[in-house]
Amino acid sequence: MSKPALHDNPFYHIPDLPAFDRMRPEQAEPALRALLAEAAAAVEKLEQTHEPTWDGLVDPLSRACEPLFDAWGVLSHLLGVMNSDGWRQAHDALQPDVVTFSLRVSQSPLFYRNVLALRDADRAMPTLTGPRRRILASLIRGAKQAGVGLEGEARARFNAIQQELAGLGTAFSNALLDAIKGYTLWVTDPRDTAGWPTPLLAAAAEAARQAGKPQATADAGPWRITLDDATAVPFLKHGRNRALRETLYRASVTKASSGACDNTARVERILALRREMAGLLGYASYAELSLSRKTAPSVAAVDRFSSSLADAAREPARREQDELLAFACAQGFAETALAPWDMAFWAERQREARFAYSEEELRAYFPFPRVLDGLFALAARLFDVHIEADDGAVPVWHPDVRFFRVRDADGTLLASFYLDPYCRPETKRGGAWMDAFHTRDRRPDGSLQLPLAVLVCNQTLPSEGRPSLMRFDEVTTLFHEFGHALQHMLTVVEDSGASGINNIEWDAVEVASQFMENWCYDRATLRGLSHHIETGAPLPDTLFQKLVAAKNYRAAAALLRQLFFGVTDMDLHARYPQPKWTDANAVKCDAAARLLPQPLLPEDRLLCGFAHLFAGGYAAGYYGYKWSEVLSADAFAAFEEAGLDQQAGVRATGRRYRDTLLALGGGTPPLDVFHAFRGRAPSINALLRHAGLENGVRH
Ligand SMILES: [Zn+2]
């Protein structure tokens, strides 16, 4: 049998719109092997012929690598959203060679020497634009941190560490997915569904049908609860059977910590390898290496930031905790303390009592199609961009995936994006994220490549003839990811190395995303988003007022939880190991004792499922969410100052926001971008005000 020709292979030189519908795991390896060989040959040729100029070196080098990295990006995406043994095998087979190739380029002494020469020439007589200068600085730092300065044994060891880390990250992610996939809590007795809201009954029956129980119905069961947020979150909030809540909670906090999916050893190994790598590069810790690429000046500055917020939140959090226990006891709770599996349940009861609405009542107002319309109307109102659905026009990887085009006010096409909205616990990573297949890029022939982004969420499925009814936190998550996508798509930078979200410091990348979440609490926006599934009515003002009043309900506890994640991360990457900590889990316990109002279970194994740190880009960077929120809250405050219901002011501020925060990408330092928008440096006051903590902070 002859080998299938490469020109038919959808991974080989991926076109502007990837042929997702034709991609099969067995095609990935032959295509990427050919692309690896082509890229290696092009790089080698360039090493001989290049000159130390932008057009002679930096630009052709990035173009030489592009077809390979495009295909690798698509393969990694498919592993995340359509996980299967086939995609895993293809990914695992190729990963070592892709890592080797990347290191070979970054470690090339010829390229490095010439990049330095280009920088020095530009210093002597400036010719480069600001964005190009920033790309160059990143290239130089990237080469140093990829070991260009290492020789002999140190280089060999560094490269071995890179390979092992890449493999461990993939293995961590796969084990976590398997652990989630491998767990089911079956509920078969209808009495155990007492208190369940209709959408949870429907989602749990849908999950059961997908797991091979075609007879399952919302009314009669059986019902299947998984560790995926779509069923686990409402189950913990509404399930009256305390023993079942305990079972699910314990499974959730110990996931991927035993048996075939155990990530415990991977966590320790990843941390040890990161420390060793940082040491080889001359950094005192992995955190210092990580911060050298971020806006935060030092570990000490991050520590100060976290502890000042924690100090502001600790007392209010203790009060929240006492009030919750008192409330539960008044309702007949017979114990002396709330167990972890009681927290979400009683907090939801207290919210209902205090603000007289339930989250489930709220979700009837948020059918997914209406939320999308409202979100796109907001984008038009703020930024004068117009988003139209173009489903069916392009190939997708799953029938649920939507496709949209983004146009400027004059009709010019600016970008496109996919949206993969629903949870698929069997094959899709948990959480939500934005990724990019293409970035805005002026090619040598003068043509312009437009951004192509993808938003991935894990929201509640449509069920029994009704559209997906979104929980409010699913709505804010969609806004968040859309904010990332806007920043990627509305860039005006035309050098791919700094356009869109490329080259933005990781602790500033959550500004554009978190900014969008604020609009979920704006009355006009919310009216546009909401449409009761039965009556068609928009969210009534009374319910809106309650939602706003409830916004800061248990805000101190939520803030402390975020800080706990960030502090654990920083302790692990800046200070671990130390004699006082027996293992990485002990670092987490220590941070929990300092920050959380309630102790964790002794068997809690949070780190085994903490993909942000061990299979994502947030190592020694989790603090970036709060760090970015200083800027995102202050940016939103500019709209509040303009008057949220003042159309002209909102438009003008939106235009300025688009022209700065959304346009300048990674080509300008984030604080300069912020200054250009706000006319001043960021202030933490808006964050504290939005969180209701302004009276609690020490100055
Ligand atoms: Zn984000």
Side-chain angles (χ1 to χ4, degrees):
M1 211 167 72
S2 67
K3 276 191 178 175
L6 276 174
H7 65 81
D8 270 347
N9 186 317
F11 283 97
Y12 186 66
H13 291 275
I14 290 182
D16 284 352
L17 290 165
F20 285 113
D21 57 337
R22 293 199 294 116
M23 289 177 176
R24 306 282 171 267
E26 60 276 15
Q27 297 161 326
E29 213 181 325
L32 272 99
R33 294 241 171 267
L35 292 171
L36 268 163
E38 287 171 19
V43 162
E44 217 160 282
K45 197 163 153 227
L46 205 56
E47 270 179 334
Q48 265 123 57
T49 60
H50 69 81
E51 44 187 293
T53 62
W54 188 269
D55 291 330
L57 170 65
V58 182
D59 192 62
L61 181 57
S62 105
R63 287 181 202 291
C65 303
E66 198 176 88
L68 172 66
F69 291 149
D70 278 357
W72 181 244
V74 165
L75 175 57
S76 304
H77 166 74
L78 290 169
L79 188 70
V81 295
M82 296 296 281
N83 201 293
S84 69
D85 287 344
W87 290 121
R88 284 186 191 191
Q89 278 157 19
H91 190 270
D92 289 353
L94 287 159
Q95 190 171 43
D97 293 321
V98 174
V99 172
T100 300
F101 173 79
S102 302
L103 287 170
R104 180 248 179 278
V105 174
S106 299
Q107 292 172 350
S108 161
L110 286 163
F111 288 143
Y112 188 58
R113 232 183 359 253
N114 280 293
V115 170
L116 290 179
L118 176 53
R119 179 198 61 186
D120 293 343
D122 182 61
R123 278 183 181 168
M125 190 199 279
T127 54
L128 294 175
T129 62
R132 287 188 173 181
R133 209 164 285 142
R134 256 175 69 90
I135 294 173
L136 212 55
S138 290
L139 279 176
I140 292 167
R141 194 180 49 232
K144 278 190 202 148
Q145 296 181 349
V148 73
L150 300 176
E151 281 166 14
E153 262 178 48
R155 163 82 64 93
R157 179 64 196 138
F158 181 89
N159 289 356
I161 291 172
Q162 292 291 320
Q163 288 290 0
E164 198 179 340
L165 278 174
L168 282 165
T170 307
F172 183 99
S173 185
N174 286 338
L176 181 58
L177 186 75
D178 287 345
I180 291 171
K181 193 163 66 172
Y183 181 84
T184 286
L185 175 68
W186 283 109
V187 178
T188 49
D189 185 341
R191 281 171 300 182
D192 289 333
T193 65
W196 288 20
T198 314
L200 173 58
L201 289 165
E206 180 70 40
R209 285 193 293 274
Q210 294 195 355
K213 305 269 185 198
Q215 79 283 13
T217 64
D219 293 336
W223 300 272
R224 179 172 169 246
I225 304 296
T226 67
L227 294 178
D228 204 88
D229 286 353
T231 54
V233 169
F235 175 81
L236 288 171
K237 281 182 178 169
H238 298 285
R240 286 190 198 150
N241 183 327
R242 189 170 185 237
L244 287 181
R245 287 203 314 263
E246 177 177 352
T247 303
L248 186 83
Y249 183 86
R250 287 185 187 276
S252 162
V253 298
T254 54
K255 64 177 178 276
S257 70
S258 63
C261 308
D262 191 353
N263 272 332
T264 310
R266 285 188 193 106
V267 165
E268 297 289 350
R269 185 73 183 152
I270 289 170
L271 290 169
L273 290 172
R274 284 176 180 162
R275 276 197 304 278
E276 190 185 351
M277 175 176 76
L280 283 169
L281 294 171
Y283 292 94
S285 66
Y286 183 80
E288 288 200 1
L289 168 62
S290 167
L291 290 194
S292 74
R293 304 186 287 249
K294 297 186 168 68
T295 65
S298 64
V299 172
V302 174
D303 291 344
R304 275 197 304 276
F305 173 73
S306 305
S307 54
S308 73
L309 284 178
D311 289 348
R314 217 173 258 118
E315 206 34 56
R318 208 164 291 143
R319 269 199 310 275
E320 288 171 5
Q321 187 74 1
D322 292 347
E323 286 166 11
L324 186 61
L325 179 60
F327 171 83
C329 291
Q331 304 288 310
F333 181 71
E335 317 267 327
T336 50
L338 293 163
W341 46 88
D342 296 323
M343 297 301 297
F345 178 80
W346 286 109
E348 188 56 22
R349 300 292 82 73
Q350 190 186 32
R351 179 208 300 275
E352 288 167 3
R354 260 194 206 177
F355 304 106
Y357 76 92
S358 78
E359 287 201 331
E360 295 303 323
E361 175 189 350
L362 203 55
R363 77 197 278 165
Y365 286 95
F366 296 112
F368 175 50
R370 176 67 177 195
V371 171
L372 271 186
D373 287 348
L375 175 59
F376 297 163
L378 176 68
R381 183 157 70 92
L382 295 180
F383 309 128
D384 217 1
V385 293
H386 303 276
I387 296 168
E388 59 203 37
D390 203 1
D391 300 303
V394 308
V396 292
W397 52 91
H398 187 280
D400 290 341
V401 176
R402 310 275 319 266
F403 185 74
F404 300 91
R405 297 192 191 274
V406 183
R407 292 187 188 280
D408 214 338
D410 64 1
T412 313
L413 187 63
L414 293 172
S416 310
F417 67 97
Y418 303 90
L419 170 60
D420 186 348
Y422 308 129
C423 78
R424 292 193 294 278
E426 317 295 320
T427 54
K428 190 164 158 183
R429 268 202 287 136
W433 64 94
M434 191 287 281
D435 209 344
F437 297 120
H438 297 307
T439 186
R440 187 177 175 93
D441 180 34
R442 182 72 62 184
R443 293 169 172 138
D445 66 4
S447 64
L448 186 62
Q449 172 182 266
L450 294 179
L452 179 64
V454 53
L455 279 71
V456 184
C457 296
N458 265 294
Q459 72 192 47
T460 308
L461 286 163
S463 173
E464 301 180 357
R466 306 221 286 193
S468 166
L469 293 179
M470 296 174 76
R471 288 199 317 263
F472 192 65
D473 66 303
E474 293 174 338
V475 174
T476 56
T477 297
L478 177 66
F479 272 56
H480 177 107
E481 302 309 333
F482 187 69
H484 281 307
L486 280 177
Q487 187 170 35
H488 192 69
M489 298 190 297
L490 299 186
T491 186
V492 299
V493 177
E494 297 192 342
D495 289 305
S496 65
S499 82
I501 57 164
N502 291 351
N503 205 38
I504 296 180
E505 286 82 344
W506 207 246
D507 59 357
V509 90
E510 302 296 340
V511 177
S513 51
Q514 296 184 141
F515 166 81
M516 286 302 287
E517 293 181 37
N518 290 291
W519 292 97
C520 297
Y521 293 93
D522 168 51
R523 186 176 163 282
T525 307
L526 217 49
R527 274 186 81 85
L529 282 185
S530 54
H531 178 92
H532 193 278
I533 184 71
E534 270 141 27
T535 65
L539 192 73
D541 276 350
T542 48
L543 205 44
F544 171 70
Q545 300 299 349
K546 291 174 188 170
L547 185 68
V548 171
K551 178 171 180 265
N552 286 333
Y553 170 64
R554 297 183 57 76
L559 173 58
L560 283 178
R561 191 156 177 82
Q562 281 296 101
L563 293 172
F564 157 63
F565 292 146
V567 167
T568 301
D569 169 37
M570 208 42 104
D571 279 346
L572 286 170
H573 290 105
R575 291 174 274 268
Y576 178 67
Q578 280 185 35
K580 63 173 173 174
W581 292 316
T582 48
D583 56 12
N585 187 54
V587 176
K588 175 216 71 182
C589 295
D590 190 3
R594 279 179 285 145
L595 289 159
L596 296 180
Q598 182 174 35
L600 296 173
L601 288 188
E603 68 263 43
D604 178 286
R605 289 294 177 275
L606 168 80
L607 299 182
C608 290
F610 205 165
H612 274 74
L613 302 197
F614 301 106
Y618 288 83
Y622 198 90
Y623 74 92
Y625 281 103
K626 281 291 151 200
W627 193 264
S628 289
E629 200 179 327
V630 174
L631 277 69
S632 63
D634 200 4
F636 187 70
F639 288 84
E640 294 175 318
E641 288 159 20
L644 292 176
D645 49 2
Q646 302 297 312
Q647 187 51 27
V650 165
R651 266 188 102 82
T653 313
R655 186 69 230 184
R656 202 164 72 244
Y657 184 91
R658 179 178 164 184
D659 290 342
T660 51
L661 272 124
L662 297 180
L664 299 178
T668 309
L671 286 175
D672 294 356
V673 175
F674 185 86
H675 206 287
F677 169 63
R678 204 69 167 97
R680 60 162 173 75
S683 142
I684 198 172
N685 294 340
L687 183 155
L688 295 171
R689 178 167 55 81
H690 290 161
L693 292 172
E694 53 197 334
N695 298 324
V697 100
R698 290 177 315 187
H699 289 282

